[in-house]
Amino acid sequence: MAKLICLTGSSAGRVYVLETDWVRLGRHADCNIVLDDLAASGHHAELRRIGRVWEVTDLKSSNGTAINGKEVRNATLRHGDVIEIGQTRFRFQDETTSLQPTDDDLLLVEKMRQRTQAIRREVAKVIVGQETVLDQMLMALIAGGHALLVGMPGLAKTLMVRTLARVLDLTFKRVQFTPDLMPTDITGTEVLEVNRVTGEREFRFLPGPIFCNLLLADEINRTPPKTQAALLEAMQEHRVTVGNRTLSLEEPFFVLATQNPIEQEGTYPLPEAQLDRFMFNIWVDYPSEHEEEQIVATTSAAPVSPPEPIITKPEVIQLQDTVRKIPVSPHVIKYATRLVRSSRPADARAPEFIRQYVSTGAGPRAGQYLVLAAKARAVLEGRIHVSCADIRAAAIPVLRHRILTNFAADSENVTPMDLVKRLLDAVEEPSEKDYAATR
C-alpha cells in the first residue's frame, strides 16, 4: 500500500495511507489531505494511480510542486521520493516496490512475447520490413536508453518513430535540427507578460518540444554543438534547466536522433562524449527488392487503417522497472565485461586486429548497456533468463559507435561494425577455468 509520510510542519510524522486511486492536496477543506500551510494553494496538487505507478500533477499552484528539489508539472513517483508542496514536505513510499520482480512484473513479462508480436503487426501496417530496427528501438526504450538512427534519406525513419509512439501510447514531438536552432527552441523559454488580475509583470515558462515521452531529433548533426548539448542534461537526468528553474520531464522519456551517413557538408559531427549518451547506434539499411516492391505498391494506393495502441504508458514504465529487477548471472556479466575490455588496444586480452585498427575502445558504460539491452531483449521475448546470446544480439548497436578506428583501419576500409563482428568471433564465453582462477 502506498503512503505519504509528512516530514515538516504541524503534521510532521503523520502517515497518510493512499487507499484510493486519486488524492488531492491543498488548503481547501474539500481536499483529501488538507494542508495547514499558507504557502500552499487551495487546490495545490493531486496524486493519481495509473496501473501500478503513481503520478503527481501540479494544479497550477502559485508556488509550484517539487520532487526531490526539482519543480515539476507532472511526474511519476518512485519509492523514497520527497514531494514539496508549499512549505510542507512528504516522503512517498510504495510498499509494493521491491528489488525483485513482483508477481505483476512476471505476469507482464509472460504476456510480452505476444504483445511484441502485436507491436510488430501494428507497425507493419505502416512500415514494410525493418524488423531488426524496430526490435532494437524497443530494446533501447524498455531499457531506459536512447538511440541514434543512421540511414539514408527516404527510409521512413521519421514515420517509424511516429508509428512506434502511437503503438506504445506515448506523446510524440519532432524537432528538425537546423544551423540556426537555439537551445531554448528545444527546452522552452520564459516570456514576460502582464498579470490581468494584479496588473504586475511576471515571467511565464513556455515548455519546448522536449516535454514529451518520445522526442525525435531529426538530423541532429545539422545544428551547432551548443544546441546539441541542450539534449545532454535531458537525456542523462530526465530534466531541463531554464534560467533558475529545473523541471523534470514526464516518464518515460526517450530520445531518438537521426543522422544522414553520407552528407557531411555543413554538419557538426557529434562529439564522442555525446555519442556515448546514446545506448544504441541503429543502422537503417535499404529494404530488400521484395520489400521495396511492397513499399511502392502500398504507398501509391489508398491509405491503410492506422495502427492501434498495444501497450499503455504505465505499462511501459513498469517494463522499464522490471528490466532493472531481472537478475543476471555472473557468467553473463563476465562475458559482457570481457567483450568491452577486449575492444581496448591496451588491454592484455585485446586480439591483434584490435591493436592494429582501433585507437580507442569502449568504456564501462558499454558494459552497462550490454547487460541492460540483454535483459530488455529477454523481456521482449517473454523471458526472465538472460543468456550470452542476448549479449551478442546487442553487441553491434551498443559497440559500433564506441569503438574508434585509426588511420590503418580507415585506409583499409575496416569499419567499427567489421571489428565488432570479428570481436564476437574472437572472444569466447567464460568457462570453468575462468572461475577456477578466482577461487
Side-chain angles (χ1 to χ4, degrees), residues 424-436:
L424 290 173
D425 293 333
V427 177
E428 298 179 353
E429 294 183 21
S431 61
E432 185 64 29
K433 66 178 187 297
D434 295 300
Y435 297 98

Side-chain angles (χ1 to χ4, degrees), residues 196-315:
R196 294 183 179 181
V197 178
T198 63
E200 297 179 351
R201 293 184 178 183
E202 58 185 22
F203 283 99
R204 181 166 67 92
F205 178 70
L206 295 179
I210 203 169
F211 287 87
C212 65
N213 298 129
L214 182 51
L215 176 69
L216 175 61
D218 220 348
E219 295 189 287
I220 190 173
N221 58 334
R222 287 204 169 275
T223 200
K226 182 178 181 179
T227 306
Q228 292 174 357
L231 282 177
L232 282 179
E233 181 186 17
M235 291 172 61
Q236 188 70 18
E237 307 293 341
H238 288 207
R239 66 185 186 186
V240 296
T241 302
V242 180
N244 334 348
R245 305 182 66 182
T246 299
L247 300 173
S248 296
L249 299 172
E250 181 185 359
E251 297 291 345
F253 177 68
F254 184 46
V255 174
L256 273 172
T258 66
Q259 277 194 159
N260 182 340
I262 62 169
E263 192 174 1
Q264 301 300 325
E265 186 72 24
T267 62
Y268 303 84
L270 290 172
E272 284 71 20
Q274 188 163 345
L275 277 174
D276 198 48
R277 305 283 182 180
F278 289 96
M279 179 178 185
F280 277 1
N281 182 314
I282 302 174
W283 176 259
V284 185
D285 209 346
Y286 287 116
S288 65
E289 182 177 355
H290 171 70
E291 291 172 343
E292 194 159 356
E293 290 173 356
Q294 190 176 348
I295 291 170
V296 174
T298 55
T299 55
S300 57
V304 296
S305 58
E308 298 296 329
I310 299 298
I311 296 179
T312 63
K313 188 186 304 181
E315 286 176 327

Side-chain angles (χ1 to χ4, degrees), residues 29-342:
D30 64 359
C31 291
N32 305 84
I33 299 178
V34 180
L35 304 177
D36 183 17
D37 185 348
L38 295 178
S41 299
H43 294 157
H44 195 108
E46 68 178 22
L47 273 65
R48 189 180 298 272
R49 181 168 55 193
I50 303 176
R52 291 183 63 253
V53 300
W54 282 87
E55 291 186 353
V56 60
T57 302
D58 183 75
L59 301 177
K60 298 182 179 179
S61 62
S62 57
N63 291 324
T65 301
I67 304 295
N68 302 325
K70 307 177 186 66
E71 188 173 343
V72 299
R73 293 184 305 154
N74 179 271
T76 300
L77 290 172
R78 299 184 185 276
H79 180 73
D81 282 349
V82 175
I83 308 171
E84 299 178 30
I85 297 176
Q87 297 296 323
T88 308
R89 300 168 72 238
F90 297 92
R91 184 178 300 280
F92 174 78
Q93 291 189 349
D94 189 352
E95 296 173 355
T96 63
T97 303
S98 67
L99 297 178
Q100 298 297 326
T102 64
D103 291 340
D104 289 342
D105 295 334
L106 296 177
L107 182 61
L108 182 61
V109 171
E110 287 177 7
K111 296 178 180 178
M112 275 311 297
R113 187 176 185 87
Q114 290 74 27
R115 290 195 175 190
T116 302
Q117 293 172 350
I119 290 172
R120 293 183 184 127
R121 285 196 300 270
E122 292 300 316
V123 173
K125 291 180 179 179
V126 181
I127 303 297
V128 177
Q130 305 294 2
E131 290 87 357
T132 301
V133 174
L134 175 61
D135 288 348
Q136 291 178 356
M137 289 166 59
L138 287 172
M139 287 164 59
L141 174 61
I142 70 169
H146 311 281
L148 186 66
L149 287 174
V150 182
M152 300 293 291
L155 296 181
K157 297 186 292 294
T158 301
L159 182 60
M160 189 184 306
V161 176
R162 183 184 290 112
T163 304
L164 181 62
R166 184 183 182 93
V167 173
L168 300 182
D169 194 28
L170 303 176
T171 57
F172 170 77
K173 296 286 181 66
R174 176 192 177 201
V175 178
Q176 181 66 49
F177 280 67
T178 57
D180 60 347
L181 198 71
M182 299 296 292
T184 52
D185 295 330
I186 301 174
T187 60
T189 187
E190 290 185 325
V191 296
L192 185 64
E193 62 180 17
V194 177
N195 189 314
R196 294 183 179 181
V197 178
T198 63
E200 297 179 351
R201 293 184 178 183
E202 58 185 22
F203 283 99
R204 181 166 67 92
F205 178 70
L206 295 179
I210 203 169
F211 287 87
C212 65
N213 298 129
L214 182 51
L215 176 69
L216 175 61
D218 220 348
E219 295 189 287
I220 190 173
N221 58 334
R222 287 204 169 275
T223 200
K226 182 178 181 179
T227 306
Q228 292 174 357
L231 282 177
L232 282 179
E233 181 186 17
M235 291 172 61
Q236 188 70 18
E237 307 293 341
H238 288 207
R239 66 185 186 186
V240 296
T241 302
V242 180
N244 334 348
R245 305 182 66 182
T246 299
L247 300 173
S248 296
L249 299 172
E250 181 185 359
E251 297 291 345
F253 177 68
F254 184 46
V255 174
L256 273 172
T258 66
Q259 277 194 159
N260 182 340
I262 62 169
E263 192 174 1
Q264 301 300 325
E265 186 72 24
T267 62
Y268 303 84
L270 290 172
E272 284 71 20
Q274 188 163 345
L275 277 174
D276 198 48
R277 305 283 182 180
F278 289 96
M279 179 178 185
F280 277 1
N281 182 314
I282 302 174
W283 176 259
V284 185
D285 209 346
Y286 287 116
S288 65
E289 182 177 355
H290 171 70
E291 291 172 343
E292 194 159 356
E293 290 173 356
Q294 190 176 348
I295 291 170
V296 174
T298 55
T299 55
S300 57
V304 296
S305 58
E308 298 296 329
I310 299 298
I311 296 179
T312 63
K313 188 186 304 181
E315 286 176 327
V316 173
I317 296 174
Q318 183 183 351
L319 281 171
Q320 291 181 332
D321 290 338
T322 303
V323 166
R324 293 280 179 172
K325 296 176 184 177
I326 288 180
V328 181
S329 70
H331 179 83
V332 175
I333 291 178
K334 185 181 286 289
Y335 179 60
T337 306
R338 181 174 294 180
L339 267 178
V340 173
R341 294 184 64 84
S342 297

